[in-house]
Amino acid sequence: MGTHDRARAAARDLETRLGPGRVSTSGPAYDQAIRIWNGAVAHRPAVIVHCATPSDVQAAVDAARAHGLPPSVRAGGHDWAGRALRHDGLVIDLTGMTAVAVDPDSSVATVSGGATVAHVIAAAAPHGLVAVTGTVGHVGMAGLTLGGGYGPLGGRFGLALDNLLAAEVVLADGRLVVADETHESELLWALRGGGGNFGVVTSMRLRLHEIPGLIAGLIVYPWSQAASVLRGFADLIASAPDELTVQTGVLSGPDGSPTLFLSPAWSGPPSEGAKHIDELTGLGTPLFSQVAPMSYGDMLGLFDAHIATGRHYSIRTRSLPAYAPEAIAAMVFAGDTRTSPLSGIAVHHFHGAAAAVPPGDTAFGERRDHFAAEIVAAWEPDGDGSAHRAWAGAVSSALEPCALPGGYPNLLGPDDRDQAELAYGGNAGRLRAAKRRYDPDAVFSAIPLPHAD
């Protein structure tokens, strides 16, 4: 039986079990579901199941297995490699499951599997609380958390995954389980860094935090000052307090030429923040500097113009132990050789609370202080991407000699197997064992894992 026949049979079974309007193989609902962030992804799933409850997800997993259709999970749809959509597969669409319930007494949010970062932040804000997130609001909270979650509160409260308290998961055999510190604790360990490779997370319990205020924004330097500013930044950031996390990188100025940006986030006492911001703005003569008290939600919008949905993207990643001279030279090379004004680099700052977690406590493998470089090639849909992909590869190669082994799993692509083998460090063997235990038939495939033994 071919894919088309298996898809029709799966759709019939699911419509019987779930009712009309919950399954699509074409039409407007199908077209909306396959519209994801990276417009270069051309995957065409055979069936999309629009889920509203965990039982819907169980039905979808059962149908995928029964009819031999590889499943994938669509939530935020922001994975650059398009792993939300399995070509000729069955998509478990969670975008209808976005509820977020906040318990202000315990500072815990219960977050449905399809909720985005923006959903979580909006729900927590009325209670004076924030979640640990990445830097973009429309990313799916579950996908971000399961693979890592570098962000502006990393120095203070760790990665997003370090704040995952429990997860409700549909396993490959269709069972619905809850993983926490006392039930299925090994599954919780694997979910904290191993991505969506063990089941479908239908909800999570996340620790929230109260911060006295947030000072954040952008400082933009002319490209001619990039090397000198980064040298000064390397010295300054080595002694940064946990309350200060600074994203750095390369973005286009108004005329399309490269600029160097620093994006600080200060989450400590507001009265102490000005000193640290002044030190950053004093590293050179900024073209532009706007750092001020702002809401967490407003901070998440700082880079929206640079990450528009529908453009074509390709991403590479390297983790750097420091802004060493070789790394600074590679950054300058990246800006000098860009092939598109839409391309750029975001370098995420990992220190403080994130680095204090013992390496074996979660599947996430890299707990040394470091900087995770996200090399983003971007171009308009009507352009040829070969030169832009080559640029990202060249920058990755330039950074490799001064990089740590592996890389950030959430950003590794399907061809980055050598990096994936090293990304989990000493946790690789335990992670492979968890995969065999919870998904022995390898039903789920998300971010790259180390090869099986």
Side-chain angles (χ1 to χ4, degrees):
M1 184 182 293
T3 299
H4 179 69
D5 291 333
R6 286 185 281 118
R8 287 199 304 172
R12 284 196 302 268
D13 288 354
L14 284 163
E15 286 170 351
T16 298
R17 187 167 172 180
L18 303 181
R22 306 295 297 284
V23 182
S24 61
T25 56
S26 62
Y30 178 95
D31 293 340
Q32 178 63 31
I34 66 170
R35 185 175 184 267
I36 59 175
W37 174 66
N38 186 358
V41 175
H43 302 166
R44 298 288 298 186
V47 179
I48 296 177
V49 187
H50 307 281
C51 298
T53 66
S55 63
D56 293 348
V57 175
Q58 290 177 287
V61 171
D62 290 345
R65 294 205 67 162
H67 297 281
L69 297 171
S72 62
V73 180
R74 160 76 158 99
H78 207 270
D79 173 63
W80 75 269
R83 286 168 286 221
L85 309 175
R86 289 287 288 274
H87 188 69
D88 284 341
L90 183 147
V91 175
I92 301 168
D93 183 358
L94 303 184
T95 56
M97 300 172 62
T98 61
V100 179
V102 174
D103 181 351
D105 294 328
S106 62
S107 295
V108 171
T110 301
V111 179
S112 295
T116 65
V117 166
H119 288 132
V120 178
I121 293 303
H127 305 284
L129 297 169
V130 298
V132 175
T133 74
T135 57
V136 178
H138 55 261
V139 169
M141 190 70 199
L144 170 83
T145 301
L146 299 180
Y150 291 75
L153 298 180
R156 184 87 180 275
F157 302 119
L159 295 169
L161 67 85
D162 295 323
N163 294 273
L164 174 62
L165 302 174
E168 181 185 75
V169 187
V170 176
L171 299 176
D173 60 10
R175 287 184 297 138
L176 182 68
V177 302
V178 173
D180 58 26
E181 294 290 358
T182 57
H183 304 89
E184 303 289 359
S185 59
E186 191 67 7
L187 177 58
L188 179 64
W189 178 88
L191 292 172
R192 289 171 168 166
N197 287 294
F198 306 92
V200 184
V201 172
T202 52
S203 72
M204 306 181 295
R205 295 180 69 243
L206 300 175
R207 183 186 297 110
L208 302 177
H209 302 274
E210 184 176 0
I211 56 176
L214 184 68
I215 299 174
L218 277 173
I219 307 167
V220 179
Y221 290 96
W223 192 243
S224 60
Q225 297 179 28
S228 61
V229 169
L230 286 175
R231 286 193 293 268
F233 176 77
D235 293 336
L236 185 65
I237 207 64
S239 59
D242 294 355
E243 294 86 353
L244 179 67
T245 297
V246 185
Q247 186 181 19
T248 51
V250 182
L251 287 176
S252 286
D255 63 355
S257 61
T259 65
L260 177 75
F261 78 87
L262 309 183
S263 182
W266 170 259
S267 58
S271 60
E272 299 177 18
K275 166 183 173 291
H276 299 284
I277 303 306
D278 287 346
E279 288 176 338
L280 293 171
T281 55
L283 292 172
T285 304
L287 290 170
F288 170 85
S289 179
Q290 187 169 356
V291 183
M294 65 175 63
S295 71
Y296 201 99
D298 286 343
M299 180 185 62
L300 292 175
L302 288 174
F303 295 98
D304 281 355
H306 300 281
I307 50 172
T309 296
R311 287 176 181 160
H312 288 196
Y313 296 94
S314 182
I315 292 180
R316 299 295 300 274
T317 184
R318 293 287 178 185
S319 296
L320 309 171
Y323 261 121
E326 299 85 357
I328 293 171
M331 289 285 287
V332 173
F333 165 78
D336 287 344
T337 61
R338 281 190 321 161
T339 55
S340 165
L342 302 176
S343 296
I345 301 178
V347 183
H348 306 282
H349 184 195
F350 184 100
H351 73 126
V357 177
D361 280 10
T362 67
F364 190 87
E366 186 53 78
R367 289 293 181 174
R368 289 169 286 187
D369 284 8
H370 65 270
F371 298 88
E374 181 176 0
I375 307 157
V376 184
W379 62 99
E380 294 295 355
D382 56 354
D384 177 12
S386 57
H388 311 308
R389 293 188 183 95
W391 169 82
V395 175
S396 177
S397 296
L399 288 170
E400 183 178 8
C402 53
L404 296 168
Y408 179 25
N410 254 352
L411 296 178
L412 291 175
D415 297 328
D416 296 326
R417 280 295 174 185
D418 290 344
Q419 286 182 263
E421 287 298 302
L422 301 171
Y424 294 95
N427 294 331
R430 185 177 172 186
L431 194 59
R432 286 191 290 261
K435 179 66 171 175
R436 290 193 298 268
R437 175 177 175 180
Y438 291 104
D439 185 18
D441 297 323
V443 171
F444 297 106
S445 176
I447 59 177
L449 292 180
H451 283 125
D453 293 327

